[in-house]
Amino acid sequence: MQLPMNAKAAIDLHCDVPFHYREVSEVDYHMGTVTLGGSLPDKLEAIADAGFSGIELMEWDLQGSSVPVARSMAEDLGLEIINYQPLRDFEGGPRDQLGPKLDRIERIFDCMEQLRTSTLILCSNVSDVSDLDDNAVADDLALLGERAAARGFSIGYEALSWGLRVNTFRQAWRMIERSGAGNVGLVLDSFHTLALNDHFEDLSDVPPDRIALIQVSDAPRMDMDVKSWSRHHRCLPGEGDFDVAAFLAPVLANGYDGPISLEIFNDHYKARPPAPLARQGMTALREVTLAAMLPAPREGRQFHEHRV
């Protein structure tokens, strides 16, 4: 899929003609509940007050609240639950484990029905499976898509940067295409691509209607294993060393108009009051989106930092 000429010029040649696919105020901004500390009611109130449209709900956030109560709190605050996560180590695993996994997924779908959310996020397999192969991964994605479709749900497939067989968005998209499952979409996470120094110019090759979600975070450059780096040291856009705007630019220019979510794993953030952090998150997310929409000098897109 080719970029429109003015978008391609603005991104690749950095010409003087900006490519605006929509106004920043029209973007559908969300926040992962994992970003904030505190109780689920405190998180939801902070996210709503900061102006986010909805949330990504983590499974462990339901430990202190029942599913109906969580749904009611979100509805009362005007928040959409855009997805439920995470489902881990499903695709390509040992065949004798597939039945129990499918039984668990049906229980997750029951929970999703009560939450009134329609998308389940599947993270790429990180378990030590010696016989993991592309055919098994694609077949399981197709099976999961079929089970989800029967319940009216969709699947977002996310490549973890430490995944065993799939650790880049490119590999994840190839598996989705091979599966043939129309209700399995690609989840793009800026950390997983930028942490690997993976090139991302070909993000524009992914049809925008097959992207389920974009998750955004920054991070400082650190010399450690990527899993620990991801789980403890992500930060707001503008606080780290990643060019998050450059990552977003080809996808937005190609016409993606779906949700953009702030998903940050950071131990220090969880110790902060959630309300001011949520407000800072919204400001940072708006600014990095605006930077991604505008032409940039060759040294990169710039936007203000938001130290917490």
Side-chain angles (χ1 to χ4, degrees), residues 161-162 189-196 215-220 226-227 229-231 233-234 242 247:
S161 45
W162 60 96
D189 185 306
S190 60
F191 178 88
H192 293 311
T193 294
L194 298 173
L196 296 179
Q215 296 173 328
V216 173
S217 64
D218 202 341
V226 70
K227 180 178 179 180
W229 187 15
S230 173
R231 291 283 177 83
H233 299 285
R234 298 194 193 198
F242 291 166
F247 171 84

Side-chain angles (χ1 to χ4, degrees), residues 20-292:
H20 296 280
Y21 86 114
R22 54 180 169 163
E23 296 297 324
V24 174
S25 60
E26 297 174 348
V27 177
D28 196 15
Y29 293 117
H30 301 266
M31 178 179 276
T33 54
V34 71
T35 303
L36 304 177
S39 66
L40 183 58
D42 289 341
K43 293 181 181 185
L44 296 185
E45 185 173 347
I47 291 169
D49 287 348
F52 290 91
S53 301
I55 60 168
E56 297 185 74
L57 184 63
M58 304 298 288
E59 180 180 26
W60 50 80
D61 271 317
L62 292 177
Q63 292 177 355
S65 300
S66 68
V67 171
V69 168
R71 174 67 258 174
S72 178
M73 285 190 294
E75 285 185 341
D76 290 346
L77 291 167
L79 293 171
E80 178 186 3
I81 302 176
I82 62 168
N83 63 56
Y84 183 67
Q85 60 168 305
L87 176 62
R88 299 187 186 277
D89 297 335
F90 171 76
E91 80 286 16
R95 300 298 88 183
D96 61 351
Q97 296 179 10
L98 187 58
K101 288 181 178 179
L102 289 172
D103 291 341
R104 177 174 179 266
I105 287 167
E106 292 296 336
R107 293 193 294 272
I108 292 174
F109 288 160
D110 292 340
C111 177
M112 290 172 59
E113 282 186 343
Q114 295 182 64
L115 289 169
R116 298 177 193 166
T117 188
S118 60
T119 302
L120 175 64
I121 303 299
L122 169 65
C123 298
S124 62
N125 201 322
V126 300
S127 62
D128 185 13
V129 180
S130 59
D131 59 348
L132 189 67
D133 62 58
D134 287 355
N135 289 330
V137 170
D139 289 347
D140 286 351
L141 286 180
L143 178 59
L144 181 59
E146 181 182 341
R147 289 292 187 103
R151 302 284 295 266
F153 298 135
S154 61
I155 303 297
Y157 187 40
E158 177 181 1
L160 299 183
S161 45
W162 60 96
L164 180 66
R165 187 78 178 185
V166 173
N167 72 338
T168 70
F169 74 85
R170 207 169 293 101
Q171 293 167 338
W173 173 236
R174 187 173 68 248
M175 292 299 101
I176 291 171
E177 286 192 297
R178 180 178 288 196
S179 76
N183 65 327
V184 178
L186 180 65
V187 175
L188 297 175
D189 185 306
S190 60
F191 178 88
H192 293 311
T193 294
L194 298 173
L196 296 179
N197 292 315
D198 189 19
H199 67 89
F200 47 80
E201 295 81 4
D202 56 338
L203 277 170
S204 58
D205 293 338
V206 182
D209 62 348
R210 297 305 308 277
I211 298 173
L213 171 70
I214 299 178
Q215 296 173 328
V216 173
S217 64
D218 202 341
R221 288 288 173 188
M222 306 182 78
D223 184 16
M224 65 169 54
D225 69 276
V226 70
K227 180 178 179 180
S228 299
W229 187 15
S230 173
R231 291 283 177 83
H232 302 285
H233 299 285
R234 298 194 193 198
C235 58
L236 293 177
E239 284 196 329
D241 299 318
F242 291 166
D243 194 346
V244 180
F247 171 84
L248 288 172
V251 188
L252 299 184
N254 201 34
Y256 175 78
D257 62 358
I260 298 177
S261 181
L262 196 65
E263 186 193 53
I264 297 174
F265 297 79
N266 185 302
D267 300 335
H268 298 292
Y269 282 14
K270 288 181 173 59
R272 304 285 300 188
L277 180 56
R279 292 192 296 269
Q280 289 166 327
M282 174 58 85
T283 301
L285 199 52
R286 285 179 176 269
E287 289 196 355
V288 74
T289 305
L290 176 60

